[in-house]
């Protein structure tokens, strides 16, 4: 950075518009800025350790949440298992109903015996998945009591498959509950991180004006230049990402790019720098 012979009256960090960033870019931006802030004297910026600790915990929690794609995968797996259960139950119930009219008397009697069980579980396919699993266990026990009739109708393999899928569903539901415990969606963490970032930026600007000597002001200017470079890098990454998506989609509706400043690192705001002066509070974040 070139030497500044005349110190400006006030300085400011450029707008980053990080609320527009995707999840990964948003987390990376906060982590980069946080790590930069840990390398300066926070006391001179009047930034407390508690605020930094909260920021760090939110960033770490965000990375944990972002890595838990398994939660989404488990949800999809649960839906597929539930659909498979519905297909098996429908197949078994329909086979029992059809075989009641079989010309084979033994099959007809076996079907009639199982029909008393099937009738008691009418509507099982439409039950919610959590209650369905427990209900199926009861159904399986009832089928066990009529093992001969099940064998006569050649339903043994279908019922075994029903038992296997139901067990897998129960285990998957339990795993999802375990993962979801303490889970906070990223969209809930983002505004909290942005709020802290906004406070940090305001502290930097205010600390410059309250600095007791030129040496402290020079250090703050150096910090702002570094932050402005970081912001410029992330804004550029965002714009390049949006441009690539537009090329892939070939859509008529373009995503508005974030305007690139001609002077992206200068800590001084000129009077006509309307773009940065008009940054929303949530977007000087």
């Amino acid at each position: 950075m070139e030497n500044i012979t005349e110190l400006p009256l006030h300085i400011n960090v450029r707008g980053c518009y990080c609320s527009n960033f995707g999840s990964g870019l948003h987390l990376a931006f906060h982590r980069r800025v946080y790590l930069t802030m840990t390398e300066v004297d926070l006391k001179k910026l009047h930034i407390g350790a508690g605020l930094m600790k909260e920021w760090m915990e939110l960033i770490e929690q965000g990375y944990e949440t972002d890595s838990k794609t398994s939660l989404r995968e488990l949800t999809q797996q649960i839906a597929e298992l539930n659909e498979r259960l519905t297909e098996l139950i429908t197949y078994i119930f329909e086979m029992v109903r059809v075989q009641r009219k079989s010309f084979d008397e033994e099959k007809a009697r076996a079907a009639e015996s199982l029909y008393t069980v099937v009738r008691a579980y009418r509507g099982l396919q439409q039950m919610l998945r959590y209650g369905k699993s427990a209900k199926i266990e009861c159904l399986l026990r009832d089928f066990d009591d009529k093992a001969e009739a099940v064998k006569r109708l050649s339903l043994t393999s279908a019922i075994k498959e029903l038992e296997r899928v139901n067990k897998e569903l129960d285990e998957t539901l339990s795993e999802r509950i375990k993962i979801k415990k303490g889970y906070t969606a990223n969209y809930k963490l983002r505004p909290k991180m942005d709020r802290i970032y906004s406070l940090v930026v305001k502290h930097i600007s205010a600390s410059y004006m309250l600095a007791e000597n030129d040496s402290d002001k020079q250090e703050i200017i150096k910090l702002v230049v570094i932050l402005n470079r970081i912001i410029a890098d992330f804004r550029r990454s965002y714009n390049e990402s949006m441009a690539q998506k537009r090329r892939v989609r070939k859509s008529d509706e373009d995503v508005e790019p974030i305007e690139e400043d001609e002077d992206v690192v200068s800590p001084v705001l000129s009077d006509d720098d309307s773009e940065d002066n008009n940054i929303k509070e949530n977007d000087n974040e």
Side-chain angles (χ1 to χ4, degrees), residues 21-282:
F21 295 169
S23 177
L25 193 65
H26 185 267
L27 280 170
F29 173 77
H30 276 278
R31 185 173 183 274
R32 179 90 173 271
V33 175
Y34 169 81
L35 291 175
T36 300
M37 295 304 300
T38 60
E39 296 175 359
V40 301
D41 188 348
L42 295 175
K43 289 182 180 179
K44 291 183 178 180
L45 298 175
H46 305 91
I47 296 174
L51 186 67
M52 293 295 289
K53 182 174 181 292
E54 182 184 354
W55 196 8
M56 176 193 67
E57 289 173 351
L58 286 169
I59 294 169
E60 289 178 349
Q61 193 174 355
Y63 274 107
E64 286 178 16
T65 299
D66 201 49
S67 66
K68 284 181 178 175
T69 53
S70 57
L71 186 63
R72 192 179 300 111
E73 293 167 359
L74 285 174
T75 302
Q76 178 63 31
Q77 188 178 345
I78 287 169
E80 292 171 358
L81 289 170
N82 187 58
E83 185 178 350
R84 177 62 175 160
L85 282 179
T86 299
E87 292 173 353
L88 286 166
I89 294 167
T90 301
Y91 170 78
I92 293 168
F93 284 14
E94 284 300 318
M95 285 295 293
V96 170
R97 293 189 182 99
V98 169
Q99 292 292 354
R100 289 173 67 207
K101 299 180 180 180
S102 174
F103 292 106
D104 186 323
E105 291 185 5
E106 290 186 357
K107 284 188 176 182
R109 281 197 297 269
E112 198 63 45
S113 173
L114 290 176
Y115 185 67
T116 59
V117 174
V118 169
R119 190 168 52 188
Y121 291 91
R122 186 177 298 162
L124 179 58
Q125 297 97 313
Q126 286 75 44
M127 285 189 67
L128 295 175
R129 58 191 62 158
Y130 290 95
K132 182 185 287 187
S133 183
K135 199 78 172 177
I136 288 173
E137 289 182 9
C138 297
L139 173 63
L140 291 169
R141 284 197 293 269
D142 289 342
F143 277 147
D144 282 342
D145 294 338
K146 297 182 180 291
E148 285 300 321
V150 168
K151 186 177 180 181
R152 178 68 61 183
L153 296 186
S154 302
L155 290 173
T156 305
S157 60
I159 290 174
K160 281 185 178 179
E161 177 66 4
L162 178 65
E163 182 177 11
R164 185 195 69 78
V165 175
N166 189 57
K167 183 180 179 182
E168 187 177 348
L169 175 63
D170 194 47
E171 291 173 350
T172 307
L173 286 170
S174 298
E175 186 177 352
R176 186 178 184 276
I177 291 171
K178 190 185 300 182
I179 290 178
K180 201 171 181 181
K181 188 177 182 181
Y183 174 91
T184 305
N186 235 330
Y187 75 88
K188 294 182 179 179
L189 297 174
R190 287 176 64 121
K192 295 179 181 179
M193 284 187 272
D194 292 346
R195 176 186 61 81
I196 292 176
Y197 172 76
S198 180
L199 285 173
V200 167
V201 166
K202 289 172 182 175
H203 273 283
I204 292 171
S205 297
S207 296
Y208 177 84
M209 299 182 71
L210 297 173
E212 296 179 354
N213 53 66
D214 288 353
S215 176
D216 288 346
K217 287 188 174 185
Q218 286 279 9
E219 290 302 312
I220 294 173
I221 287 175
K222 289 178 183 178
L223 171 62
V224 172
V225 169
I226 293 171
L227 292 178
N228 284 344
R229 284 200 182 104
I230 292 172
I231 291 167
D233 288 343
F234 276 86
R235 283 168 59 155
R236 191 175 300 110
S237 295
Y238 170 81
N239 285 336
E240 289 173 356
S241 174
M242 290 300 100
Q244 185 176 3
K245 287 179 181 178
R246 286 197 300 273
R247 285 195 295 271
V248 171
R249 290 198 309 262
K250 295 183 179 179
S251 170
D252 293 334
E253 296 181 3
D254 289 340
V255 178
E256 285 295 326
I258 296 172
E259 293 183 17
E260 297 289 349
D261 297 328
E262 292 182 3
D263 187 358
V264 294
V265 298
S266 172
V268 185
L269 292 180
S270 61
D271 294 336
D272 62 349
D273 197 352
S274 59
E275 177 194 352
D276 282 351
N277 281 329
N278 292 331
I279 294 168
K280 297 178 183 177
E281 181 177 355
N282 197 36

